[in-house]
Amino acid sequence: MLCYNAYTKKHYLPTAREGSHSGLVRAPAKRLPWDDRGRGFESHSLRQSSMPLIWGHCFSREKTMPKYHIWTIGCQMNKAESERLGSYFEQLGYQPIANAEEADLIVVNSCVVRQSAENRVVNKLNALRPLKRLRPNLTLAVTGCLVNADLAQLNERFPQVDYFFKPGDCPQWLEKPEWGQILPHHPVPSTYVSIIQGCDNFCSYCIVPYRRGRNRSRRVKEIIGEVKELVNRGAKEVTLLGQNVDSYGHDLPDQPDLADLLRELNAIDGLLRIRFLTSHPRDMSPKLIEAVASLDKVCEHISLPVQSGSNEILTAMRRGYTVEQYRQLITEIRDKIPRVALSTDVIVGFPSETEQQFQQTFDLLSELRFDTVHVAVYSPRPGTLSAREFEDNIPAEEKRRRLNKIECLQEGIAAEINARLLGKTVEVLVEGERKGKWYGRTRSGKLVFFTNHNNCLGQLMNIRIEKTSPWSLQGKVRRGK
Ligand code: SAM
Ligand code: SF4
């Protein structure tokens, strides 16, 4: 499967397990490996290779096979969905193509969580307009959070698009597959599995519930079957995805929860690590904390967005907790899971956020010292409560100043946290190779680079850390005990 990276504006083949694609020259992986699986525009990467089994014959069949191209922006859910779409197209006989101009089918997987993301989607669709005019037989489809219920308005705005389908849905014009069963033939070692769609929270600023709908959890049995199959095909680590992953199961008849699911997955032979994101502070139960603390495969790595350090702003955001409750939760997590790595999300410049309220956010981050902070400037989203009720009254330069101040603070904190690993040996699951160096992550999610002559993709390696920075670590393989 071909991938597109929005930052480098380049296509690439993700690193596949050596030897699995006979007859193919391996292209170097160009995914930004330091992206921390982060937010916003970090990548268009498809993290799995799902080449069809007939890959070795592709060259002779190339002329006759229809070609597809997927352009992806946004969160991990979008990435996971693009991976599955790619697998689906390949099972229908399509071949991936890097150059959109040569494709018979183009899918734009969109994000509108912030205006800047929406702008890039609109620019992309406008750029595809002449191509569609030139080649009317080309199928152009859009999925992701741009797709709302008002199809007439979408058709009018983007007449060049043939089909719109909701995020997580199956393309309506193609023969319906067993949707959950469209798994990559050769998953990368660390792979995503969506376990819950939608969100019931309706935070005042957020468009997600309007576009992805209400909570819909997948059945435990179905998820277990999928993870077992991914492991059979080579996956070593799974990251369970949901906009609000810790509300998993509340909508299912027998109401299993995320802790129950983790326990079941922990028993799968051959699976080495399990992660999950993103959690909501209100749904992070003592039972879930206990599960992370006690299950050996569940990594000590929790993503728990706080959004603001001011109770007034949290109320206006409709987050459903106070700063005091959030602080207490972090204390409990750190108590029960001593080596836990924590990441959070923050929005600056929410309507009427005063300097003092911003300072409260800054102080909370200084006090709690997260491993990673994803900071975004507030962006009013039409249709959301905050866009309707509050004026977007913090000037853009002021929002940017607040964002820079937090980024600067966090750079210092991350540098100090990572420096503590200097001279220590960490266990790394190797995810790929780039510019002659292997890279992978620790259980706590730290990105580590090292050199090794042999192929070690998908292996757990002990690496002695020799150099640290706020964003990544470098080290050497430690042999023996
Ligand atoms: N469900 C998670 C939570 O409870 O925070 C996060 C999902 S949300 C799609 C991802 C991040 O985008 C949020 O944590 C928030 O920081 C950011 N975000 C969402 N809406 C935004 C907006 N209107 N303006 C700026 N950032 C926004
Ligand atoms: Fe959006 Fe809030 Fe749901 Fe997260 S919890 S997806 S921020 S509505």
Side-chain angles (χ1 to χ4, degrees):
M1 182 186 297
L2 284 167
C3 309
Y4 177 72
N5 186 306
Y7 278 148
T8 60
K9 297 199 170 52
K10 282 184 182 148
H11 291 87
Y12 61 91
L13 277 169
T15 315
R17 279 191 303 161
E18 202 166 84
S20 55
H21 300 150
S22 57
L24 173 74
V25 179
R26 258 173 81 194
K30 285 202 177 153
R31 182 166 83 84
L32 290 175
W34 50 85
D35 64 20
D36 192 39
R37 299 170 196 192
R39 302 303 162 91
F41 317 119
E42 128 259 319
S43 113
H44 291 237
S45 64
L46 308 183
R47 299 180 66 249
Q48 294 176 324
S49 163
S50 59
M51 297 299 175
L53 290 173
I54 51 163
W55 180 259
H57 306 287
C58 277
F59 295 115
S60 55
R61 297 184 50 171
E62 205 166 340
K63 281 197 178 69
T64 54
M65 287 174 84
K67 298 181 179 66
Y68 78 89
H69 175 96
I70 307 178
W71 186 90
T72 311
I73 187 168
C75 65
Q76 293 87 348
M77 299 281 290
N78 271 15
K79 282 193 239 170
E81 282 155 14
S82 284
E83 283 166 2
R84 298 296 156 97
L85 276 174
S87 289
Y88 171 40
F89 297 147
E90 284 165 28
Q91 287 183 32
L92 291 176
Y94 281 78
Q95 189 187 357
I97 185 94
N99 184 359
E101 292 183 8
E102 292 173 42
D104 303 283
L105 164 62
I106 300 176
V107 178
V108 170
N109 195 351
S110 62
C111 171
V112 294
V113 161
R114 288 184 280 276
Q115 186 61 47
S116 46
E118 182 166 350
N119 292 347
R120 293 185 65 175
V121 172
V122 171
N123 289 345
K124 183 71 190 172
L125 289 174
N126 287 342
L128 289 171
R129 210 183 265 243
L131 184 66
K132 178 70 185 173
R133 217 176 287 131
L134 199 70
R135 293 180 41 220
N137 286 341
L138 158 75
T139 303
L140 176 54
V142 175
T143 186
C145 287
L146 180 77
V147 181
N148 56 22
D150 192 350
L151 273 184
Q153 176 257 336
L154 283 171
N155 282 322
E156 192 180 331
R157 196 170 162 207
F158 305 107
Q160 69 275 40
V161 174
D162 299 294
Y163 300 101
F164 294 92
F165 60 100
K166 289 203 192 119
D169 272 6
C170 169
Q172 66 271 43
W173 73 97
L174 291 171
E175 136 202 351
K176 211 171 171 84
E178 287 289 318
W179 190 228
Q181 300 305 314
I182 298 174
L183 300 183
H185 287 292
H186 303 289
V188 287
S190 170
T191 192
Y192 290 134
V193 175
S194 294
I195 62 165
I196 175 169
Q197 279 286 349
C199 181
D200 285 354
N201 281 337
F202 289 91
C203 299
S204 67
Y205 52 83
C206 185
I207 193 83
V208 167
Y210 301 93
R211 299 299 162 90
R212 286 187 172 266
R214 297 301 189 92
N215 278 349
R216 289 167 332 273
S217 301
R218 294 175 64 196
R219 307 234 165 210
V220 172
K221 216 169 133 194
E222 187 185 319
I223 298 167
I224 293 172
E226 180 166 322
V227 173
K228 279 187 177 163
E229 190 51 39
L230 284 166
V231 170
N232 281 342
R233 296 179 188 196
K236 305 285 186 199
E237 172 181 301
V238 289
T239 300
L240 309 178
L241 293 181
Q243 295 294 343
N244 188 2
V245 75
D246 49 354
S247 66
Y248 172 78
H250 298 180
D251 56 317
L252 289 175
D254 42 354
Q255 303 210 322
D257 59 22
L258 182 57
D260 298 328
L261 179 65
L262 290 173
R263 203 165 293 283
E264 298 270 3
L265 295 177
N266 199 65
I268 294 178
D269 283 341
L271 180 64
L272 303 180
R273 289 175 174 183
I274 308 167
R275 302 180 193 274
F276 58 91
L277 53 85
T278 303
S279 300
H280 191 289
R282 219 176 31 191
D283 292 313
M284 175 62 60
S285 64
K287 183 178 169 193
L288 181 55
I289 299 172
E290 188 53 46
V292 180
S294 62
L295 297 172
D296 62 328
K297 293 180 186 174
V298 179
C299 296
E300 307 77 17
H301 185 200
I302 294 178
S303 168
L304 201 63
V306 64
Q307 307 297 3
S308 174
S310 147
N311 281 333
E312 293 91 356
I313 297 288
L314 286 178
T315 304
M317 287 177 162
R318 292 168 60 119
R319 288 292 289 177
Y321 52 84
T322 62
V323 173
E324 292 71 27
Q325 286 166 332
Y326 185 87
R327 186 183 281 118
Q328 176 60 28
L329 182 57
I330 296 290
T331 306
E332 274 169 42
I333 292 172
R334 285 185 165 149
D335 248 20
K336 293 267 163 49
I337 315 166
R339 284 199 305 271
V340 70
L342 291 167
S343 68
T344 198
D345 293 9
V346 160
I347 297 177
V348 294
F350 190 80
S352 303
E353 182 189 61
T354 62
E355 181 59 29
Q356 197 196 1
Q357 288 166 334
F358 165 70
Q359 189 60 41
Q360 288 175 332
T361 301
F362 185 91
D363 292 345
L364 188 72
L365 298 178
S366 316
E367 173 198 334
L368 295 181
R369 295 174 66 80
F370 293 93
D371 291 73
T372 315
V373 175
H374 303 282
V375 50
V377 297
Y378 171 72
S379 171
R381 304 286 62 218
T384 59
L385 192 83
S386 69
R388 276 199 311 273
E389 310 245 312
F390 310 127
E391 189 193 343
D392 178 24
N393 56 0
I394 308 295
E397 321 80 71
E398 178 55 20
K399 285 179 179 168
R400 177 74 23 208
R401 185 192 69 80
R402 292 179 188 183
L403 177 131
N404 289 342
K405 199 169 164 194
I406 286 183
E407 282 189 341
C408 195
L409 167 75
Q410 184 54 32
E411 190 176 324
I413 292 174
E416 284 169 21
I417 291 177
N418 289 352
R420 282 194 232 127
L421 290 170
L422 204 63
K424 301 245 163 63
T425 298
V426 294
E427 186 193 75
V428 172
L429 175 64
V430 184
E431 292 182 19
E433 193 186 8
R434 190 175 183 276
K435 289 189 182 163
K437 287 201 168 174
W438 294 97
Y439 66 84
R441 288 183 190 268
T442 63
R443 283 177 64 100
S444 59
K446 309 261 178 231
L447 180 63
V448 181
F449 293 92
F450 63 97
T451 47
N452 193 40
H453 295 307
N454 302 328
N455 180 9
C456 51
L457 190 73
Q459 290 177 30
L460 286 176
M461 304 287 286
N462 285 324
I463 307 294
R464 190 171 187 278
I465 300 303
E466 297 191 330
K467 202 170 163 194
T468 68
S469 81
W471 304 282
S472 65
L473 312 169
Q474 297 201 33
K476 280 214 175 100
V477 178
R478 187 170 167 164
R479 315 260 170 212
K481 292 273 170 193

